[in-house]
Amino acid sequence: MPCHGVSPGHGHPRSGWDQGFERPPEASSLGRLWIALSLTLVLILCDSMMFWAPAGAHPLPAQNYPSRFSGAAPQLQAAFGWWNLTCPVCKGLFTAIDFGLKKEPNVERLGSVATSLCKLLKIAPPNVCESAVRLFEDDMVEVWTRSVLSPSEACGLLLGSTCGHWDVFSSWNVSLPAVPKPPPKPPSPPAPGAPVSRILFLTDLHWDHDYLEGTDPNCVDPLCCRRGSGQPPTSKPGAGYWGEYSKCDLPLRTLENMLSGLGQAGPFDMVYWTGDIPAHDVWQQSRKDQLRALNTITDLVKKFLGPVPVYPAVGNHESTPVNSFPPPFIKGNQSSNWLYEAMAQTWEPWLTTEALQTLRIGGFYALSPRPGLRLISLNMNFCSRENFWLLINSTDPAGQLQWLIGELQAAEDRGDKVHIIGHIPPGHCLKSWSWNYYRIVSRYENTLAGQFFGHTHVDEFEIFYDEETLSRPLSVAFLAPSATTYISLNPGYRVYQIDGNYPGSSHVVLDHETYILNLTQANVPGATPHWQRLYRARETYGLPNALPAAWHDLVYRMRDDTQLFQTFWFLYHKGHPPLEPCGTPCRLTTLCAQLSARADSPALCRHLVPNGTFPDVQRWSPRPAFC
């Protein structure tokens, strides 16, 4: 297998937006849209309250909105790219926001101005601006109304710490039991001939019900290859039948072909399925759309996997608006009950009564799939940087981490081992959540046998170390690649070999295999799609085992062996890497991400660079902020 940066037989080259490590256009557009909505609150509320705003506020003069935007555009595009605010003015404006939302939260007016601002600043195509604002505006006003965000905190967020202290996401700690931690005990290798279990791992399927062969894969919208994308230029190919190397998701036929062709990779004892079922058309999704995706793909999984037990986790795309997962204390129409109840109904054949109860409350659950093994499915949206509901209160949302501690302590008391599954990896979480999770993993290292996540769409891992020295590897979270092609990837899935079902089993990962569909070959007219094994981890990387120390050593071997890293880089992208090479800053920052299971912790990478000078992480970060 050639592993030299470009796989043979690629489709058309990547366009400029997805080269290197830039975020998906959907990500940056929606992030900017949230800022636009916040600034819209400033514009609307200060205008409507100019007669009773606090003395410190300096509202803009009343005039029609289009001309106001035209005049404000130069300032909006200066400074931080939006508005050249001074600190006193910022605090006055956000004081007016807080007062105004309590007095007159006019959602319709907010939406109208936000749409105009979105179009003026070209945050997204006009149709995306209109649809996205309509979708997000109700929740936006609700969160701002209920948020504990003070004017000082808001301005600290926008203008920096010299203007205010941003502590909505301030540090907090969960309580660990007083039970002393047992001495670390690494798992013993299984005896020769011991049973081995095979676990199918599916993540980020992203079914696009509007996928249409022949349409433009490089349209102006955040998602292409679909009805409404238009036709490609005459010199460019259109979307392939089975999928496309671009900002496109998958047609149902590709997912059906994948699930119907699993025989060569099986048989399977269990399936772990970590979410993100709907497509990336997040600006126009309704609850009906999300439930159709949930039910359609669940039925497909049941059809092709039959009696094999499936254990799902909730992804960030399951809700609408995307990333919108209110804590359980949010009641009524804006709660997540509509989604959790639908999941409980469609997943009922796979889950226990106890698991269904907590799923309905907070989207997480625990059960025992076999004697000696406890499976915990976390709702990682309660750690998400993009879950705007956490502006209200981000301290252990839904009490999930405290519940996790209780589950792990009970498993330790019984002598059971534990697998954790979830969608968003711990290293991508809000800092306090991530650091608390890191503490929990460290405390229960003897009990925790495996961690399995998705979300990034690429093939990577995150290593956990002892908290005292950050030098002894004690656990690894495996981040499996996506089924979807988004962005410019081959479709894929993962199979884990696990110490099997017998008394005294460690239940640890022994090895894993990744399977892909080569789209270049599959989309040849008349070709039959062939899902093939891309690689086996231990064989490809020369690992003595699949324990944390082996993955730690691999990172440092890749630091010093550029050819080995290029193999990793090829597999990281499921056999379809970017055309441009990954130079030293890219390589070191990619390797740093494999060491960083704790968010915002540069100390974890201190040994990668002998002189301590690390590349610009902002420029080279391989982690998408939003998938």
Side-chain angles (χ1 to χ4, degrees), residues 223-478:
L223 183 66
C224 299
C225 302
R226 58 202 325 263
R227 295 177 178 88
S229 296
Q231 296 300 306
T234 53
S235 60
K236 301 288 185 180
Y241 183 79
W242 295 105
E244 187 55 61
Y245 294 127
S246 192
K247 48 178 180 175
C248 306
D249 282 320
L250 289 179
L252 190 64
R253 58 179 166 268
T254 305
L255 295 172
E256 186 167 10
N257 185 269
M258 177 184 75
L259 292 171
S260 66
L262 292 170
Q264 62 169 330
F268 308 112
D269 297 273
M270 293 184 289
V271 181
Y272 293 166
W273 176 22
T274 60
D276 268 15
I277 304 169
H280 285 84
D281 58 332
V282 298
W283 66 94
Q284 61 182 14
Q285 292 171 339
S286 67
R287 291 183 177 182
K288 181 179 178 181
D289 294 329
Q290 307 308 81
L291 296 180
R292 172 177 61 174
L294 171 68
N295 291 321
T296 299
I297 302 303
T298 300
D299 288 345
L300 204 64
V301 170
K302 290 176 180 176
K303 174 182 176 181
F304 288 106
L305 289 164
V308 180
V310 179
Y311 302 114
V314 182
N316 63 298
H317 276 264
E318 267 69 274
S319 186
T320 185
V322 67
N323 300 309
S324 176
F325 288 85
F329 62 77
I330 299 295
K331 304 297 183 183
N333 187 54
Q334 287 178 307
S335 77
S336 294
N337 288 348
W338 66 274
L339 178 61
Y340 299 152
E341 182 60 37
M343 288 174 168
Q345 291 180 14
T346 192
W347 295 344
E348 184 176 12
W350 298 324
L351 306 182
T352 64
T353 301
E354 174 194 24
L356 291 168
Q357 288 175 347
T358 55
L359 175 64
R360 285 186 164 99
I361 294 170
F364 52 87
Y365 63 87
L367 51 77
S368 298
R370 57 181 50 167
L373 177 64
R374 189 75 168 164
L375 173 68
I376 297 175
S377 177
L378 295 178
N379 185 349
M380 300 298 286
N381 294 291
F382 290 141
C383 83
S384 172
R385 303 169 191 263
E386 284 76 45
N387 185 0
F388 46 87
W389 287 97
L390 300 187
L391 284 169
I392 298 174
N393 186 355
S394 64
T395 302
D396 193 12
Q400 182 178 217
L401 285 182
Q402 207 65 58
W403 168 84
L404 171 64
I405 290 168
E407 284 288 336
L408 288 167
Q409 185 60 55
E412 179 181 280
D413 294 342
R414 293 190 303 265
D416 288 350
K417 300 299 181 182
V418 170
H419 285 176
I420 291 177
I421 63 172
H423 183 68
I424 300 172
H428 289 63
C429 292
L430 288 167
K431 181 175 179 178
S432 285
W433 200 101
S434 179
W435 284 49
N436 274 284
Y437 183 83
Y438 208 92
R439 286 177 59 217
I440 294 168
V441 170
S442 178
R443 165 60 184 83
Y444 293 100
E445 63 173 291
N446 289 351
T447 297
L448 189 54
Q451 301 180 69
F452 310 91
F453 298 92
H455 183 62
T456 69
H457 294 196
V458 291
D459 186 344
E460 51 183 333
F461 53 91
E462 294 179 350
I463 303 173
F464 294 73
Y465 295 87
D466 68 291
E467 286 201 293
E468 293 75 21
T469 68
L470 292 179
S471 62
R472 180 176 62 86
L474 53 82
S475 186
V476 60
F478 294 99

Side-chain angles (χ1 to χ4, degrees), residues 179-195:
V179 180
K181 176 182 175 178
K185 185 180 179 183
S188 301

